[in-house]
Amino acid sequence: MKGILAYEVYLPHHRMSRKEVANFHGSYAGKGTKTVAHFDEDSLTMAVNASFPFRKYDPKAVYFASTTSPYQEKLSSVTIAKALQLPASTRTIDYGSGLRAATNAFLSGLDAVKAGPVLLTMSDRRLTKPKSPLEAEMGAGAVSFMLGTGDGVIAELVASANNASEEVSQWRTSTDAFLRQWEDRFVAYAATESVRACAEEVLSTAKTSLEEIDHVVVSGPSQKLSLNLAKSLGVDQKQVSVMNDSLIGHLGTANGPMMLVKALSVSKPNQKILWLQIGDGCEGLLLETTDSITSYQAEKPLSYYDNTMNDSVSYSDYVRWYELFEVDEGRRPGAPTPSAPALKRNQEQNMGLIGSKCESCGQTYYPKQRVCVKCHQKDNMSPFSLQGKKAKVATYTVDYLASSVSPPSIFAVVDIEGGSRMLAQVTDCKPEDISIGIEVEFSFRKLYEAGGIHNYFWKVVPKRGVHHES
């Protein structure tokens, strides 16, 4: 048996109402909200944060699917593996160039699980032209699956089918900043034939009928089109309940996986899920849940993100965070281009969040030290990982003068479980959200970009969903 061992989701803390978008442009306001990535989040950082709980599975491969990888030529899967402290022997592959990158990576991952568990992560943060019909719908987020074999599989692959179709429906050239889409009626016309053919083939292969499917997931270029295509197949409204979501928007390559996660989260053993992923044709997967689905719990359930979100993002926040126009950075020099040798030299410490531990007295440090200030031993340190450790704010400062696209900047001295202490930037946090003694957790973020190089590091965010006694 091979299939999904576990799933995790990462959604940005921030959301913007579609009414806010419409009010800015003076146009019609749809219902609901969409997720908005903070200024220091991209598809790679969200993928790392969605995959963080999976280090315990010791994955032998990392597959990353996205249409918005931060580099046109550089593997993001390698960066993800390094941030998760996986060994250099881990196989790393990137998938992209269309929404079907999600199912392509999924099926390739299942083909490779004989060699060991495969970490599959899908993430997107797509840009749309202001006032375009897509702007109010396109969100951001990441979904990760751990694929493998054995009795721990919570959903196994029963059948799959593919129907490729050459068409120009939704696209972006190598020089385009914004997603393009042809007129809705043509997009629907072009997708309908592929979806029907793919659905018929996968159901025929599995020797089952559409009526026997418990959850149907159709993931197309937009929610309206996806629901219309599902309706054209003749599915019941109960079968597409996981497709009705007006809170997070369309997540690109993570959109179909997100609906699959919703179906898994409410499924019982022996239920069937049909996933039809549209994009230059259609790819269909039929999965069936196992008895293990009853005992599986994600580290952060889907309700966590709805209960802790900030839904007060303004349109001006959104355009600054997504760099839709240039803002004055003040009378200060710009950020220097990161040094490639320095990035290489410090990658274990900066990406892996690895400090040092004194072998004589057990005192821990971040950044790494050669001499222990407690017992004064020299060069008697071993690597010490701070990932997953509990942390609390010892003190902090709020800076209203520092140049930032999301002022004010907040920095905190953080006491970390094990005795170490570090200076960290606090993100996804308003001044009223922080106080001495509150718990924080690490989040992989982008410090800045300069010279075409993305400089990544770990920041801290308030640990939400817990009661702070400070």
Side-chain angles (χ1 to χ4, degrees), residues 127-401:
L127 279 176
T128 55
K129 187 171 286 187
K131 205 179 177 181
S132 72
L134 296 173
E135 185 184 30
E137 182 174 355
M138 294 298 121
V143 175
S144 293
F145 292 119
M146 182 54 65
L147 307 178
T149 60
D151 295 336
V153 168
I154 61 175
E156 64 173 328
L157 180 67
V158 177
S160 65
N162 176 66
N163 190 293
S165 175
E166 168 55 32
E167 60 207 27
V168 181
S169 297
Q170 199 172 66
W171 74 99
R172 183 162 53 87
T173 70
S174 59
T175 56
D176 281 341
F178 302 112
L179 183 66
R180 298 172 184 262
Q181 180 173 305
W182 202 263
E183 197 266 333
D184 285 349
R185 288 176 297 177
F186 172 77
V187 176
Y189 163 77
T192 300
E193 185 177 347
S194 294
V195 170
R196 285 179 177 171
C198 200
E200 289 174 2
E201 184 177 348
V202 72
L203 292 173
S204 174
T205 303
K207 297 180 180 178
T208 189
S209 66
L210 191 60
E211 291 73 22
E212 296 178 87
I213 304 299
D214 297 282
H215 299 285
V216 175
V217 169
V218 180
S219 181
S222 67
Q223 185 189 38
K224 181 181 178 181
L225 172 62
S226 301
L227 289 170
N228 287 339
L229 287 171
K231 186 178 179 181
S232 71
L233 292 174
V235 302
D236 187 87
Q237 282 298 312
K238 292 182 180 178
Q239 293 174 293
V240 296
S241 59
V242 297
M243 295 176 60
N244 291 304
D245 191 317
S246 60
L247 295 177
I248 62 174
H250 194 290
L251 304 185
T253 54
N255 196 60
M258 183 67 188
M259 290 189 279
L260 176 58
V261 165
K262 288 182 179 178
L264 291 170
S265 68
V266 296
S267 289
K268 298 176 182 177
N270 305 314
Q271 290 196 325
K272 294 182 175 65
I273 304 171
L274 177 62
W275 174 15
L276 297 168
Q277 179 62 58
I278 302 167
D280 298 299
C282 181
E283 203 144 38
L285 285 72
L286 181 61
L287 298 111
E288 183 169 351
T289 56
T290 70
D291 291 340
S292 296
I293 192 74
T294 56
S295 58
Y296 180 74
Q297 285 189 328
E299 185 170 283
K300 289 182 178 176
L302 298 176
S303 58
Y304 166 85
Y305 295 99
D306 291 338
N307 296 334
T308 61
M309 67 174 175
N310 163 37
D311 60 355
S312 61
V313 173
S314 66
Y315 194 80
S316 63
D317 290 332
Y318 166 70
V319 296
R320 281 187 288 109
W321 296 353
Y322 279 57
E323 299 179 357
L324 296 180
F325 61 62
E326 189 174 0
V327 297
D328 184 14
E329 296 182 353
R331 297 176 182 176
R332 300 188 180 186
T337 299
S339 162
L343 291 176
K344 179 69 174 177
R345 186 168 57 248
N346 298 315
Q347 64 180 207
E348 296 289 341
Q349 176 176 278
N350 294 347
M351 284 194 182
L353 199 63
I354 293 176
S356 59
K357 179 179 180 181
C358 177
E359 288 296 296
S360 297
C361 68
Q363 178 65 38
T364 60
Y365 298 93
Y366 191 89
K368 295 178 180 179
Q369 300 294 319
R370 290 184 61 192
V371 179
C372 179
V373 297
K374 186 176 181 181
C375 69
H376 308 299
Q377 287 286 313
K378 182 181 178 183
D379 292 332
N380 192 25
M381 299 280 183
S382 60
F384 177 78
S385 174
L386 274 63
Q387 290 190 15
K389 296 289 187 296
K390 294 181 179 178
K392 289 188 175 182
V393 172
T395 187
Y396 66 96
T397 181
V398 180
D399 189 341
Y400 288 88
L401 298 178

